[in-house]
Each structure stands twice: as structure tokens, then as C-alpha cells.
Amino acid sequence: MGRNNFFEGWYYKHYANGKSLAVIPGCASDGAFVLVVTNDRSYHIPYPLSEYRDNDTLQVGDNTFTSSGVTLNICHPELTLTGEITYTNLTPICSDIMGPFRFFPMECSHGVVSMSHSLCGTIKLNGEEQDYTDGKGYIESDSGRSFPKWYTWVQCNDFGQNCSIMASVARIPFYGLRFWGCICVVWLNEREYRLATYNGVKILKCDRGILELKQGKYRLIITVDEQIAQELPAPKLGKMQHFIRETLSCPSRFRFMEGDNCLFDEKSDNASYEYMMHQK
């Protein structure tokens, strides 16, 4: 696909020692970029498209992104971010999260690269050193023309148990029609549970701060105490001219049931959350 009216981006989240950092490299028809999100700020660092190179390794300016780690070298009037974080023990999902929809031209296609992995390394953000060694990471991707106008997304892998959860619900345009679509993965104790529209999931509740899904005998209930959100540019018709708001770390509770049996019930202070359901 050409670059006109097209975007692609990757979401690299890191958490350790009470610190969270998301780095989002990508490109759109109006330029390349690296977005940086912390608990209390966000930054948009623009680059010419000529400085975006996506071969075996993704490079934006002097920054390098791979499934083995990231090397950051940003010197901008608002942000200095340098250092390296390496990844081990990645957790890919069993198959494409889009299921059969991957064969159709979608407004926005989602990908999950790793539900959870180990981190090692230190970065320096505006003079503050942050050590992410022994932390947890998460990687996903998006590509297409535009982000959905109405959607919610939540992700967390900061749990006592060996668990990582990602869930999203969006209003999807599809060949002149619109429907509510859902993609969700619960990765629990080395087993993947896939809840999705193409698997017959039912969206029982989707409102600010709560998401409830049911598929067969499985039920997932997510409650989020939304904190101060950071504003981020997002794609609209291939250009970064839309804005969303993301809370990188907020208190949450995740309950996953199999019939009357509770498979998982934990709280975390580090769920990432977006809720955009009332955009015109």
C-alpha cells in the first residue's frame, strides 16, 4: 500500500519500578513521527518521511525499534530521551488478531506482537534516569487510513499471576455498513483465550470505565478508574490530524470467568486505557 492516505505505527510499552513509558514510532502521509507517553506528559517528535526506514529493522531518525529492543536517541527542545532497553521471552499470540478480517481492506488493522516480555536496560528522560530492568513490556501495531471514531482500548500485564490482557471495542465501517467489533486476548498461565467478533463474542457492556464481554462459557469484566489522560495525535485519512487521549497507567480490576469458576481476579495500578466514544 502506498503512503497516500495511509498510516502505520507500533506501540512499545515498558513498565518497571513504578515507571511507565510508551514509545510509538510510525509514519503517515504527512510525515514520520515518534510519540512518547509518560504518566504525566506526552510528546510528539516529527521527522521527515525520508528518515523513516522500515526494512528488517524499523528506524525513525536515530531511533531503532525491533522485537529485541529499542535504542532511543531523541534530542528535541521539549524532550531528551536516550538509552537502550532490550527484550527477551516475547509472548506472541497464536494467530493474527484480526482473524478473517485481515483479508479485507479495513479502516484500521490491529496487530499484537508480544503480550508480555522481560525488559533490561536504562533510559534517560529529560535528565532523569529510569531503570526498566526486570520490568515488563508489551508491543502492538496499527495500520490503515484512520483510527475509529468510536472505540475503547485497555491493556495490562502488571499482575501477580502470569497474565496479560488486551481488549478493544470499536465501531467498524465495513462496505457501507457499521458494526461494533471486538478483539481481545487473555493470556493466562501459558494459555491464550481469544474473545472476538469472529468467534461470536457478545459486548454486554461498554461504557466509560467498564467493559464486559461474554463468549460461550467465558466472561471478562474490566473496570478502570480513569486518571488524567495525555493527548496524542492520531491518524485521520492518512494524516496525523486527529487527537485521542490515553491514560498510560491507571488503577483497574480484571475478572475472567469460566462459567461460575473464577480463573483470574486481580487489580493493577498500571493499566493503559483509551476511551473515545463521544467524538463527532
Side-chain angles (χ1 to χ4, degrees):
M1 185 181 293
R3 294 296 182 201
N4 291 333
N5 298 325
F6 177 76
F7 81 94
E8 59 186 12
W10 285 259
Y11 182 89
Y12 294 81
K13 181 183 174 183
H14 315 83
Y15 170 77
N17 305 313
K19 295 287 186 181
S20 294
L21 174 74
V23 185
I24 309 167
C27 75
S29 57
D30 54 351
F33 56 85
V34 176
L35 307 179
V36 177
V37 191
T38 68
N39 288 344
D40 54 9
R41 283 212 58 180
S42 64
Y43 305 87
H44 175 204
I45 312 301
Y47 291 87
L49 276 173
S50 60
E51 295 193 37
Y52 182 88
R53 298 171 294 280
D54 184 12
N55 298 314
D56 293 334
T57 298
L58 174 63
Q59 291 182 281
V60 185
D62 294 328
N63 306 283
T64 303
F65 305 87
T66 73
S67 58
S68 299
V70 298
T71 300
L72 303 169
N73 187 13
I74 297 174
C75 294
H76 187 268
E78 293 186 354
L79 174 67
T80 300
L81 179 59
T82 59
E84 182 177 2
I85 305 174
T86 58
Y87 308 151
T88 54
N89 302 318
L90 271 68
T91 308
I93 60 175
C94 294
S95 59
D96 196 310
I97 190 64
M98 297 296 291
F101 290 103
R102 68 187 182 275
F103 298 114
F104 297 90
M106 305 295 290
E107 178 185 52
C108 182
S109 292
H110 198 75
V112 175
V113 179
S114 176
M115 290 292 291
S116 184
H117 47 269
S118 302
L119 307 178
C120 181
T122 302
I123 59 99
K124 185 172 286 188
L125 191 155
N126 288 340
E128 178 191 357
E129 189 170 279
Q130 299 182 358
D131 187 0
Y132 284 92
T133 300
D134 296 327
K136 292 182 179 180
Y138 171 82
I139 309 172
E140 66 176 31
S141 66
D142 286 290
S143 62
R145 299 182 304 278
S146 305
F147 265 20
K149 291 182 179 180
W150 302 280
Y151 77 96
T152 189
W153 168 87
V154 62
Q155 177 275 326
C156 190
N157 57 13
D158 173 42
F159 299 115
Q161 289 191 58
N162 190 12
C163 183
S164 179
I165 297 173
M166 183 282 298
S168 182
V169 169
R171 188 71 169 163
I172 308 297
F174 191 73
Y175 290 97
L177 303 174
R178 286 187 179 270
F179 66 93
W180 286 103
C182 173
I183 49 176
C184 171
V185 173
V186 178
W187 186 81
L188 176 62
N189 296 325
E190 308 294 335
R191 179 177 174 182
E192 177 185 317
Y193 301 85
R194 180 80 61 95
L195 285 68
T197 298
Y198 50 81
N199 285 339
V201 72
K202 295 180 181 179
I203 305 166
L204 300 183
K205 189 174 294 186
C206 181
D207 207 341
R208 183 176 294 277
I210 186 165
L211 178 62
E212 185 171 351
L213 308 174
K214 186 178 187 302
Q215 181 176 293
K217 59 186 176 181
Y218 297 107
R219 184 186 298 260
L220 176 66
I221 306 104
I222 302 173
T223 53
V224 177
D225 180 10
E226 186 177 3
Q227 305 294 293
I228 297 174
Q230 309 305 318
E231 187 173 79
L232 295 172
K236 182 178 181 180
L237 298 178
K239 295 183 178 181
M240 300 298 283
Q241 57 187 9
H242 181 51
F243 288 92
I244 63 171
R245 299 184 67 84
E246 177 179 328
T247 305
L248 186 59
S249 294
C250 52
S252 55
R253 182 183 179 188
F254 294 78
R255 286 170 286 169
F256 187 51
M257 310 291 294
E258 182 181 11
D260 294 329
N261 181 29
C262 181
L263 300 179
F264 181 81
D265 186 352
E266 280 203 30
K267 295 179 180 180
S268 172
D269 289 331
N270 296 292
S272 295
Y273 182 61
E274 297 173 8
Y275 183 84
M276 304 292 292
M277 286 292 183
H278 301 291
Q279 296 290 301
K280 292 183 178 181

